Amino acid sequence: VFGVRTGMGLEIHGKTVVLTNGTFLNGLIHIGEKQFGGGRAAEKAATGITEQLQTLGFQSGRMKTGTPPRLDGRSIDYGKLELQEGDEAPGKFSFSKATQPLTTQRPCYIAYTNERVHETLATGFEKSPMFAGRIKGLGPRYCPSIEDKIVRFADKDRHQLFVEPEGWSTVEVYVNGFSSSLPEDVQFNALRLVEGFENVKMFRPGYAIEYDFFPPQQLKLSLETHLITGLYFAGQINGTTGYEEAACQGLMAGINAARQCQDLEPIVLKRDEAYIGVLIDDLVNKGTDEPYRMFTSRAEYRILLRQDNADLRLTPMGHAIGLASDERFQEFSAKSAQIDKALDIITKTSITPDVINGLLESKGCAPLAQSVKADKVLIRPEIVLKDLMNAHPEFGAALSVFDEEILEQAEIQKKYEGYIRKEREQAEKVIRLDDFILPTTFDYHKVKALSFEGREKLSRTKPNSLGQASRISGVTPADISVLMVFIGR
């Protein structure tokens, strides 16, 4: 790749290019029988990119997503809705001291559809682009449109609608759960039959949008394409849906595009290191024929991938590649040292029966017959660290010098130590397969002992290692055994 040429003819040269096209590639917006080109509301679609990539040998497909109507919050009767308060103790996404936890939150509300709403929506089905077959792309399984829901779940007489403020300085409200591509008047009439929405005003209707994507088996784990050196794909172009899914791909593609410019090796997160690793590994090795969303259930090592230890898992790598500052790394190192000190106190402090048995009996636990270390009491499900600190004043005083964050991390590590160790051992067994490197030029068609599907899938994905090969859909354990013999040779 040498750069990009814009629609106005401006040429921007570069050693690497990252395509993050979202829903804009030949984007087509549907509202009832109306359809028009667009990447999203009031923005035009991108044309020509898909066609050029196809001439270069790329395969493309079609997907769809939808968005709900936006309402005027001043016209909603919130007294008829269910209040949904924010978190009691809101956390934050960053471990940096530069950001502070939220002190004020705006609540959301829940409204409900009813049978009259469903009947009104059904009057527009004959004009629905989905039911009329005008939409060809597959939509996201986990957030179907309201018309899809009332057809697929016809036994339900109501569905939840999450009424969400769009921000602090706007009256606009997002009706999560009411995604629709029905005609504007049908949407409006149905909304006014929802309790609390009787006098609602609609800023703009919901719509469906179809767009091109490129099946992600055409990528390396670095998100660089196999066909074009220096060209990276990130986000919905790879078949994902969701803001976080797009953001993490943009981060990794950006890191690796920059590293390629510096002749450095790409950064590839493993499945036991981050959800980003799971998402990219799933996309590249298994592909997707519907908009892909990341769930905790997709990760086999989710006990290791907790939100409380994200900094412990990833800050050293972030610092090593220049993304985390020296100051941040020093903060991280100090936190790690404090956790180790707290763990040392928990592991070495003895708890005697006379100190703890009263607490144990009050919790319905078996009493101690002899002294044990504090960590042995802490692993009991009924006991939390604060209980031990209150029951044993000296122990409590020794730990009270640490922040809540440190104590929480130490407690998690001790309480779930057995589960964490077992999962780490399982991960290490699988990771050993990643040490067996496969050349990307390997001709799998010559290995007749491989299954036909295995040869086909391995040739298409070009895995870097035996571990990656084992995760490709359609590659059997027998195929992996055959490859191990060949590597041995």
Side-chain angles (χ1 to χ4, degrees):
V1 77
F2 295 98
V4 296
R5 184 182 294 116
T6 71
M8 291 177 67
L10 176 66
E11 291 191 352
I12 304 166
H13 294 262
K15 293 180 182 177
T16 55
V17 170
V18 184
L19 288 183
T20 57
N21 304 92
T23 60
F24 283 72
L25 292 178
N26 292 322
L28 188 63
I29 290 174
H30 297 266
I31 304 174
E33 293 181 303
K34 288 184 271 182
Q35 57 183 59
F36 49 92
R40 58 176 164 236
E43 295 188 54
K44 70 176 187 174
T47 56
I49 296 175
T50 296
E51 293 74 13
Q52 189 197 13
L53 290 172
Q54 287 171 336
T55 63
L56 294 167
F58 286 94
Q59 292 179 321
S60 69
R62 200 83 170 140
M63 282 186 177
K64 76 145 186 156
T65 190
T67 192
R70 304 312 202 270
L71 307 182
D72 185 340
R74 296 168 298 187
S75 63
I76 295 171
D77 184 351
Y78 290 103
K80 294 181 178 179
L81 308 185
E82 290 179 16
L83 179 68
Q84 296 283 296
E85 293 284 7
D87 291 347
E88 284 182 21
K92 54 182 193 151
F93 287 105
S94 172
F95 289 91
S96 164
K97 289 195 171 84
T99 59
Q100 298 301 317
L102 291 171
T103 53
T104 312
Q105 300 177 77
R106 286 193 66 178
C108 293
Y109 295 83
I110 289 185
Y112 293 93
T113 63
N114 53 56
E115 290 182 354
R116 289 175 65 214
V117 173
H118 299 175
E119 288 163 7
T120 303
L121 290 168
T123 64
F125 282 0
E126 61 186 37
K127 295 181 179 178
S128 164
M130 184 171 68
F131 295 114
R134 288 191 295 277
I135 292 180
K136 305 296 181 191
L138 270 174
R141 176 187 298 263
Y142 301 100
C143 42
S145 65
I146 188 66
E147 52 265 38
D148 210 5
K149 281 193 278 197
I150 64 176
V151 171
R152 284 167 54 188
F153 308 108
D155 57 315
K156 306 289 183 192
D157 56 12
R158 69 175 191 172
H159 293 284
Q160 284 184 326
L161 303 176
F162 295 91
V163 182
E164 306 172 355
E166 286 271 25
W168 285 100
S169 55
T170 178
V171 296
E172 196 168 288
V173 165
Y174 184 98
V175 193
N176 193 343
F178 203 91
S179 173
S180 179
S181 57
L182 290 170
E184 187 171 343
D185 60 328
V186 175
Q187 292 185 41
F188 182 63
N189 292 336
L191 280 167
R192 285 208 152 187
L193 294 170
V194 172
E195 190 172 358
F197 288 4
E198 292 86 355
N199 300 304
V200 84
K201 292 179 181 174
M202 187 165 73
F203 283 134
R204 58 186 185 277
Y207 59 86
I209 182 165
E210 277 190 285
Y211 56 94
D212 295 333
F213 84 105
F214 288 79
Q217 296 100 318
Q218 301 170 97
L219 302 174
K220 301 175 185 177
L221 288 170
S222 62
L223 297 182
E224 184 185 20
T225 65
H226 281 298
L227 285 175
I228 305 290
T229 302
L231 179 63
Y232 293 77
F233 290 173
Q236 281 166 300
I237 191 173
N238 292 335
T240 61
T241 185
Y243 298 110
E244 298 84 0
E245 288 81 355
C248 75
Q249 291 173 75
L251 173 68
M252 298 312 297
I255 287 170
N256 288 327
R259 288 178 70 81
Q260 186 168 337
C261 291
Q262 301 168 70
D263 296 320
L264 297 171
E265 287 296 307
I267 297 294
V268 175
L269 294 170
K270 296 187 175 70
R271 294 181 72 93
D272 66 315
E273 290 178 324
Y275 279 103
I276 295 174
V278 176
L279 177 142
I280 293 174
D281 192 76
D282 276 357
L283 290 174
V284 171
N285 293 321
K286 298 174 184 170
T288 184
D289 55 7
E290 62 182 52
Y292 176 102
R293 182 151 280 170
M294 185 72 245
F295 293 108
T296 52
S297 57
R298 294 191 191 272
E300 59 273 48
Y301 307 122
R302 52 190 175 274
I303 294 175
L304 304 179
L305 306 181
R306 309 184 309 275
Q307 78 271 20
D308 62 88
N309 71 350
D311 58 339
L312 301 177
R313 284 185 280 120
L314 298 170
T315 304
M317 185 184 295
H319 181 253
I321 64 175
L323 280 181
S325 66
D326 290 342
E327 182 186 3
R328 183 160 180 169
F329 188 69
Q330 286 162 9
E331 286 177 8
F332 159 79
S333 301
K335 176 182 173 179
S336 298
Q338 283 195 304
I339 292 167
D340 290 341
K341 283 180 186 174
L343 286 169
D344 193 54
I345 292 168
I346 293 168
T347 307
K348 291 181 177 175
T349 301
S350 290
I351 304 283
T352 58
D354 60 304
V355 166
I356 201 70
N357 278 349
L359 171 65
L360 295 178
E361 286 166 8
S362 72
K363 298 273 187 178
C365 297
L368 293 181
Q370 59 188 35
S371 296
V372 296
K373 300 301 182 187
D375 61 331
K376 298 296 183 285
V377 180
L378 188 58
I379 62 174
R380 297 191 182 199
E382 302 84 358
I383 303 299
V384 297
L385 187 57
K386 287 288 184 193
D387 292 335
L388 290 182
M389 291 171 67
N390 292 333
H392 192 313
E394 278 183 46
F395 177 67
L399 289 178
S400 64
V401 299
F402 298 106
D403 293 342
E404 284 294 322
E405 186 184 16
I406 304 298
L407 294 178
E408 180 191 51
Q409 186 58 226
E411 182 171 11
I412 288 169
Q413 288 192 25
K414 268 298 158 198
K415 209 165 190 54
Y416 302 100
E417 189 173 34
Y419 296 102
I420 292 168
R421 188 191 310 114
K422 185 178 179 184
E423 199 156 275
R424 170 55 56 208
E425 287 167 359
Q426 288 175 337
E428 284 169 358
K429 279 182 190 173
V430 174
I431 288 164
R432 286 187 204 119
L433 289 176
D434 286 322
D435 294 334
F436 294 94
I437 303 302
L438 293 169
T440 53
T441 53
F442 192 87
D443 188 352
Y444 295 98
H445 290 293
K446 288 183 178 177
V447 186
K448 300 303 179 188
L450 290 170
S451 67
F452 180 79
E453 185 181 2
R455 273 177 271 161
E456 191 179 88
K457 297 284 180 69
L458 288 162
S459 298
R460 186 169 68 188
T461 305
K462 299 183 179 70
N464 293 323
S465 68
L466 209 54
Q468 186 187 352
S470 71
R471 296 188 291 274
I472 297 171
S473 177
V475 175
T476 66
D479 290 332
I480 299 301
S481 298
V482 169
L483 287 176
M484 287 185 89
V485 171
F486 264 79
I487 290 170
R489 287 179 184 172

